[in-house]
Amino acid sequence: MGAVPCSAQCFIWVFIAMLLLSLLLIGTLFFVVLDYGVVVKTDGYHPNPAAVGTTAPFADPTLVRTGPNAYPVHMLAHLWAYTPSPLHVPQGAAITFYLTSADVVHGFQVQGTTINMTAVPGIIGYVTYSFAHAGTYNIICNEFCGIEHQSMIGRIIVDPEKRT
Ligand SMILES: [Cu+2]
C-alpha cells in the first residue's frame, strides 16, 4: 500500500494548522515581552562611552534622595569594577539604578535579587528595586569582559531601616 496523496482540502487544513501555530507563537512572544518586561528599559544614550565617567550625571555617582522614597543612582561599569562601590542604600527604599558602561559590555547582576542587567556602552538602562533585607549584596559581572572578568565584583550595602 502506497502513500495516500494529499488532496487540495488536506493542504488547506495543513495551512490553517500552521497559520494557527504561527499566530500562537507570535502572540506568546508579544505576551512574554510586554507583560514580563523582558525588554530592558532604556533611559537614554550617550555618544562617547570613554568620556561618560567624567561627564554628568555619571561623574558624580552618589545616591541622592529625590522623593519620599525615591533614590536614583548612576552606576558605571568599567574594566573591571563598578563605580560607586561599595554603595550604601537604605533598606526598603526604591533604588533606581541607571547603568551604562565606559568601555565594553559588562553584566550587572545583584546576587539574591532579581536585578540582572547588561551594561552596554552608549546606552543607559535602568531598573528600580527595593531591598527588603539589610546586608551586603554582591554585584557580579556575568558577561565575559576581559582578563580580570572574574574579579569584577561590586558591593551594595543595605543599611538597616532606622526606626524612631
Ligand atoms: Cu565581566
Side-chain angles (χ1 to χ4, degrees):
M1 206 163 120
V4 178
C6 198
S7 66
Q9 195 179 14
C10 172
F11 275 116
I12 289 169
W13 282 112
V14 168
F15 176 76
I16 289 171
M18 290 177 75
L19 184 72
L20 287 174
L21 282 172
S22 302
L23 289 175
L24 183 70
L25 176 70
I26 292 167
T28 305
L29 282 175
F30 271 97
F31 176 77
V32 168
V33 167
L34 296 177
D35 198 49
Y36 294 110
V38 174
V39 175
V40 173
K41 296 179 182 108
T42 302
D43 183 58
Y45 305 91
H46 57 85
N48 187 2
V52 74
T54 55
T55 52
F58 287 93
D60 183 24
T62 50
L63 190 74
V64 182
R65 186 171 183 254
T66 57
N69 194 28
Y71 293 82
V73 63
H74 289 81
M75 200 100 192
L76 191 63
H78 50 92
L79 297 170
W80 287 278
Y82 299 94
T83 302
S85 178
L87 171 70
H88 282 265
V89 301
Q91 181 184 0
I95 315 294
T96 302
F97 295 94
Y98 291 93
L99 177 74
T100 192
S101 169
D103 34 56
V104 299
V105 171
H106 295 282
F108 184 85
Q109 182 176 3
V110 182
Q111 288 181 316
T113 72
T114 55
I115 302 172
N116 188 0
M117 299 173 74
T118 302
V120 182
I123 297 175
I124 301 166
Y126 69 96
V127 67
T128 300
Y129 189 81
S130 185
F131 293 88
H133 304 288
T136 301
Y137 295 77
N138 292 326
I139 309 167
I140 57 166
C141 179
N142 55 14
E143 298 277 353
F144 182 73
C145 57
I147 197 157
E148 289 293 320
H149 162 69
Q150 79 284 350
S151 64
M152 186 167 171
I153 297 171
R155 300 258 190 274
I156 296 172
I157 298 167
V158 181
D159 298 319
E161 193 179 19
K162 292 186 188 83
R163 296 185 192 279
T164 52

